[in-house]
Amino acid sequence: MPNNKKFIIDFDSTFTQVEALDILGEISLENHPERDDRLEKIKEVTDLGMEGRLTLRESIEQRISILEANRGQIDELVKALKKKVSKSFDRNQEFFAENAEDIFIISNGFKDFIVPVVTSFGLKEENVFANEFVYDEKGNIIDFNRDNILSQNNGKAATIKKLELTGDIFVIGDGYTDYEIKAAGLANRFYAFTENVDRPSVTAMADHIAPSLDEILYVNKMNKKYSYPKSRINVLLLENVHPVGIEMLQHEGYNVETYSSAMSEDELAEKIQNVSILGIRSKTNVTSKVLENANRLMAIGAFCIGTNQIDLDTCQEKGIAVFNAPFSNTRSVVELAIAEIIFLMRNISDKSRLMHEGKWDKSANGSFEIRGKKLGIIGYGNIGAQLSVLAENLGLDVYYYDVIEKLALSNATKLNSLDELLKVADIVTLHVDGRPENKNLIGEREFDLMKGGAVFLNLSRGHVVDVKALKKAVESGKVRGTAVDVFPQEPKNNEEPFESDLKGLPNTILTPHIGGSTLEAQQNIAQFVPNKIIDYINTGNTFNSVNFPNIQLPFLKDAHRLIHIHQNAPGVLAKINQTLANYEINIVGQYLKTNEKIGYVITDINKKYSNEVIEALKKIEGTIRFRVLY
Ligand SMILES: NC(=O)c1ccc[n+]([C@@H]2O[C@H](COP(=O)([O-])OP(=O)(O)OC[C@H]3O[C@@H](n4cnc5c(N)ncnc54)[C@H](O)[C@@H]3O)[C@@H](O)[C@H]2O)c1
């Protein structure tokens, strides 16, 4: 079917990211003593022109005289402009090549540099309408062609009128003169292009505000690559996500909506329908009821460590990848552990309490330096290993035990059993994960094995320690002091009272699960999670996803990437490959990982694909979700 759409596109700040005369100034005035003043002046004159305080002719005249440029510098300018083509134009080169007949470039700039830039995209020289420089015999730019109607106010509309175009006529531009074409009744739609500059006076007149060319192609069903415009990716962030995270997602071009509080199940079930990425913290429950409505949802970011609040199984069944921030607060936990080790060795919590009660108890009894003491770390993961390094720097002698083989950092000593560690350590600190088998890992038997007067810390998970046994050990003096940050039963909010057998024990520091609660950790989380999500959307990388098979992908070069998520049943990969073979498409790379429920296949192909092959891939039995990246 012949295409009856015509596109009229502006050049400066639309086709390219920049105003060409600004760049010409940077070249021609490079070594000029008044360089900075003159560059500033060029911008000023451009603005005065745009505001209508100078006529177009006055503004061109003034800029030409400030620039003192010559023909040789135009070549340099063209090179620079080719590197500054708007990103969305650059990634949609096929659109220009395939629709060259129907694309017109119209500009108050100059053909001298516009033609070489746009023809390199396959556009036609005869479809470029712009001003022309006049040179003297030495090649200096001294004037412009004053007969060209584009050197006059409203020249764009007058030029288009002469062309007598038929069909649907769309104007794409960032300036008021672009809107004037539509205002003169010469175009059907005006797209205010905001990828490079956003002028409220122009967007106010727009039929559609387009943050990228992808958006325009998408709404006109012309985006060949199936690439989904980022501005159509709706992000919903709940529970006061740190501004750093909001900015990162906005910067990526997504459409971000934020709420300071959590949402109830019903509210979220309603709201989720239009959402592509959901960001939550610990108070929003993403239940199966919510997920039933989540048909556009691609990923969930848990801006926290835990993911119990999310129905991970249903997410998997629907092909929704979940990411969290498991390491972002490691350092915060380690710092608290260090502080507590010192406090326990000096009985600071009791001494401080007594002072508040008006009691002065100055004595060195039962107070020790930590230097040279043996620190026993149970669980040498992210936290345990970092604690090992910091503690050693403070002069502690570090021992550790882990159920899996872990390389000793620095001078730490690896031990082969928990019992061995308990017997050797002056200070025992727990940093294991919360797997069910670790319930009551430390109980009466383990306290008995410890040295008399040992110090004990739990900043890992509440159920890992038998609290009654710990109480007994503290009361008997077997454990000289303890610091506990996590409890088998914790209050759900700050209003609920805290109940524990450990209340009131001597030399016992109790903290309300704040090991990882620092502003720095919040900021780290706010950066980590969006990074993961953006990477997943842009490359398909699922490394560190909580519920997806983890694939870490190589960078993609000169290929298209197809992402296929399917139920884990035999033969799906073979069907994908057969479908590609049927269309004679060659695979340049393929990555597959499965878990019990789903399979995740990334296929890189080096050939242009057709709509039919995409539809055929989507129809493969068991397909949960399919998307094309580039
Ligand atoms: N208090 C807080 O605010 C806070 C903050 C962050 C993390 N945490 C908790 O700290 C703990 C450690 O976190 P991480 O990021 O280092 O986890 P991690 O998964 O990196 O490390 C846990 C390590 O413990 C080991 N392990 C598990 N069971 C063991 C056992 N029975 N004996 C010996 N080793 C065992 C694992 O092999 C692993 O190396 C987790 O339980 C986490 O929930 C608490």
Side-chain angles (χ1 to χ4, degrees):
M1 204 182 83
N3 185 3
N4 64 351
K5 294 188 172 100
K6 308 266 189 314
F7 292 88
I8 297 169
I9 305 178
D10 175 39
F11 186 76
D12 286 273
S13 300
T14 295
F15 201 103
T16 59
Q17 300 166 34
V18 287
E19 292 286 320
L21 292 189
D22 292 353
I23 307 298
L24 182 57
E26 282 170 21
I27 296 166
S28 69
L29 301 169
E30 197 185 349
N31 299 314
H32 198 286
E34 293 166 16
R35 178 185 176 274
D36 293 350
D37 289 348
R38 285 192 175 214
L39 289 178
E40 198 47 47
K41 185 80 186 154
I42 292 172
K43 286 206 167 78
E44 237 170 66
V45 173
T46 309
D47 287 345
L48 287 175
M50 289 208 182
E51 289 162 19
R53 289 162 64 194
L54 282 180
T55 64
L56 185 60
R57 287 200 162 187
E58 285 166 337
S59 118
I60 299 177
E61 268 163 15
Q62 291 194 19
R63 281 180 290 171
I64 286 182
S65 87
I66 303 168
L67 280 165
E68 291 182 19
N70 62 45
R71 200 189 292 275
Q73 290 160 344
I74 298 291
D75 293 341
E76 240 183 280
L77 171 64
V78 168
K79 264 193 216 148
L81 291 176
K82 282 185 179 169
K83 289 189 192 139
K84 290 270 178 197
V85 167
S86 292
K87 292 208 168 93
S88 65
F89 278 53
D90 211 21
R91 62 176 172 259
N92 285 291
Q93 296 207 18
E94 283 171 22
F95 160 73
F96 293 100
E98 287 172 14
N99 297 282
E101 294 286 342
D102 298 318
I103 298 174
F104 301 83
I105 302 295
I106 188 144
S107 168
N108 297 120
F110 292 82
K111 278 189 183 175
D112 310 59
F113 50 79
I114 296 176
V115 168
V117 175
V118 302
T119 50
S120 72
F121 274 61
L123 295 183
K124 300 198 163 327
E125 181 167 356
E126 60 270 29
N127 282 3
V128 177
F129 298 90
N131 284 303
E132 297 125 309
F133 287 128
V134 172
Y135 302 86
D136 66 11
E137 65 285 359
K138 288 192 199 128
N140 295 319
I141 299 172
I142 48 166
D143 204 356
F144 55 95
N145 175 2
R146 288 167 187 264
D147 297 334
N148 190 326
I149 40 176
L150 279 160
S151 67
Q152 295 163 20
N153 282 356
N154 234 328
K156 285 190 177 179
T159 306
I160 298 301
K161 191 160 185 201
K162 276 194 170 174
L163 289 176
E164 296 183 352
L165 299 176
T166 54
D168 288 336
I169 299 166
F170 302 144
V171 179
I172 304 172
D174 61 285
Y176 199 81
T177 56
D178 304 310
Y179 160 68
E180 281 175 350
I181 302 171
K182 153 104 198 285
L186 296 164
N188 305 64
R189 286 181 85 70
F190 168 54
Y191 291 96
F193 188 73
T194 56
E195 185 168 316
N196 306 307
V197 283
D198 188 339
R199 299 191 173 94
S201 62
V202 177
T203 50
M205 309 315 287
D207 296 303
H208 193 115
I209 298 172
S212 65
L213 182 63
D214 311 77
E215 169 81 13
I216 298 166
L217 299 184
Y218 183 81
V219 293
N220 285 294
K221 299 196 171 49
M222 292 181 78
N223 60 334
K224 283 270 158 166
K225 296 189 169 175
Y226 280 80
S227 62
Y228 195 63
K230 290 186 175 178
S231 53
R232 301 222 143 216
I233 294 187
N234 292 333
V235 182
L236 176 66
L237 298 179
L238 305 180
E239 302 187 58
N240 241 342
V241 163
H242 193 284
V244 169
I246 301 172
E247 270 164 36
M248 284 173 73
L249 292 160
Q250 279 169 339
H251 185 74
E252 190 59 20
Y254 301 154
N255 183 20
V256 183
E257 196 179 347
T258 59
Y259 285 81
S260 58
S261 56
M263 275 189 186
S264 69
E265 189 180 42
D266 286 344
E267 272 175 305
L268 189 56
E270 175 63 30
K271 189 83 193 165
I272 200 85
Q273 296 178 40
N274 211 18
V275 171
S276 332
I277 297 168
L278 173 68
I280 57 162
R281 287 168 68 178
S282 54
K283 292 200 177 71
T284 304
N285 291 318
V286 185
T287 60
S288 59
K289 179 176 170 191
V290 169
L291 292 166
E292 248 169 56
N293 285 349
N295 293 326
R296 283 183 65 175
L297 197 61
M298 292 194 272
I300 298 177
F303 285 75
C304 50
I305 313 296
T307 48
N308 296 341
Q309 71 282 36
I310 303 169
D311 181 341
L312 294 175
D313 283 346
T314 308
C315 283
Q316 226 180 58
E317 283 158 21
K318 294 194 65 127
I320 301 162
V322 179
F323 296 91
N324 67 342
F327 327 116
S328 299
N329 60 9
T330 302
R331 171 74 190 206
S332 305
V333 179
V334 169
E335 287 191 11
L336 184 62
I338 296 268
E340 289 182 337
I341 291 169
I342 298 173
F343 270 36
L344 292 172
M345 295 292 274
R346 306 287 285 269
N347 204 352
I348 297 293
S349 69
D350 287 353
K351 288 202 155 79
S352 171
R353 185 176 37 78
L354 289 173
M355 293 286 282
H356 284 283
E357 289 166 10
K359 295 181 189 141
W360 184 265
D361 175 25
K362 183 172 162 63
S363 131
N365 279 348
S367 286
F368 302 91
E369 286 185 350
I370 59 166
R371 177 168 47 170
K373 301 295 178 299
K374 293 187 168 67
L375 173 66
I377 300 175
I378 307 170
Y380 207 60
N382 293 303
I383 295 174
Q386 192 167 143
L387 175 61
S388 163
V389 174
L390 257 72
E392 208 171 286
N393 277 308
L394 285 168
L396 283 148
D397 188 8
V398 177
Y399 295 77
Y400 71 92
Y401 166 67
D402 198 295
V403 278
I404 55 171
E405 188 60 35
K406 292 275 177 164
L407 184 74
L409 297 178
S410 208
N411 294 319
T413 307
K414 178 168 133 354
L415 296 176
N416 292 322
S417 72
L418 176 62
D419 289 5
E420 218 181 316
L421 181 136
L422 296 172
K423 285 180 200 158
V424 94
D426 301 307
I427 302 150
V428 175
T429 186
L430 261 181
H431 300 287
V432 297
D433 53 65
R435 67 186 76 176
E437 306 89 283
N438 280 343
K439 185 165 194 299
N440 291 341
L441 178 68
I442 306 295
E444 211 162 307
R445 189 188 84 88
E446 287 69 29
F447 286 117
D448 283 347
L449 284 175
M450 288 182 199
K451 281 184 176 174
V455 156
F456 175 76
L457 292 91
N458 182 16
L459 287 89
S460 63
R461 299 292 284 268
H463 69 266
V464 177
V465 177
D466 175 350
V467 172
K468 286 204 163 29
L470 173 58
K471 179 179 184 195
K472 220 170 123 193
V474 174
E475 282 171 342
S476 70
K478 176 83 190 203
V479 164
R480 142 214 319 282
T482 186
V484 185
D485 188 44
V486 286
F487 304 87
Q489 277 88 40
E490 293 179 3
K492 288 197 181 52
N493 52 47
N494 288 351
E495 278 67 54
E496 254 181 48
F498 166 66
E499 295 301 342
S500 169
D501 287 339
L502 302 174
K503 277 170 34 179
L505 291 178
N507 200 11
T508 296
I509 302 173
L510 302 180
T511 44
H513 203 148
I514 43 130
S517 306
T518 61
L519 292 182
E520 288 85 349
Q522 286 304 315
Q523 190 158 341
N524 289 342
I525 291 171
Q527 281 170 339
F528 190 87
V529 176
N531 261 330
K532 289 275 145 204
I533 291 177
I534 291 167
D535 202 22
Y536 172 62
I537 302 283
N538 289 345
T539 71
N541 200 338
T542 51
F543 188 63
N544 276 333
S545 162
V546 182
N547 65 336
F548 256 46
N550 276 206
I551 297 189
Q552 199 168 18
L553 294 155
F555 290 115
L556 184 67
K557 253 190 126 188
D558 303 328
H560 299 287
R561 179 164 281 173
L562 313 177
I563 294 195
H564 196 266
I565 306 166
H566 54 265
Q567 284 148 13
N568 187 6
V572 179
L573 184 64
K575 283 182 198 151
I576 292 176
N577 291 348
Q578 188 55 52
T579 308
L580 291 169
N582 292 347
Y583 288 86
E584 291 178 0
I585 289 174
N586 191 26
I587 296 171
V588 293
Q590 195 164 48
Y591 316 90
L592 162 75
K593 263 207 181 161
T594 54
N595 62 22
E596 293 118 61
K597 286 207 166 156
I598 61 169
Y600 186 55
V601 187
I602 313 269
T603 309
D604 292 346
I605 57 172
N606 64 358
K607 197 178 147 184
K608 255 176 77 178
Y609 47 80
S610 61
N611 297 359
E612 295 92 77
V613 64
I614 300 299
E615 290 310 317
L617 287 164
K618 280 184 182 168
K619 283 197 189 112
I620 290 174
E621 209 186 316
T623 301
I624 298 175
R625 202 173 268 256
F626 177 79
R627 67 187 173 109
V628 179
L629 280 188
Y630 318 99

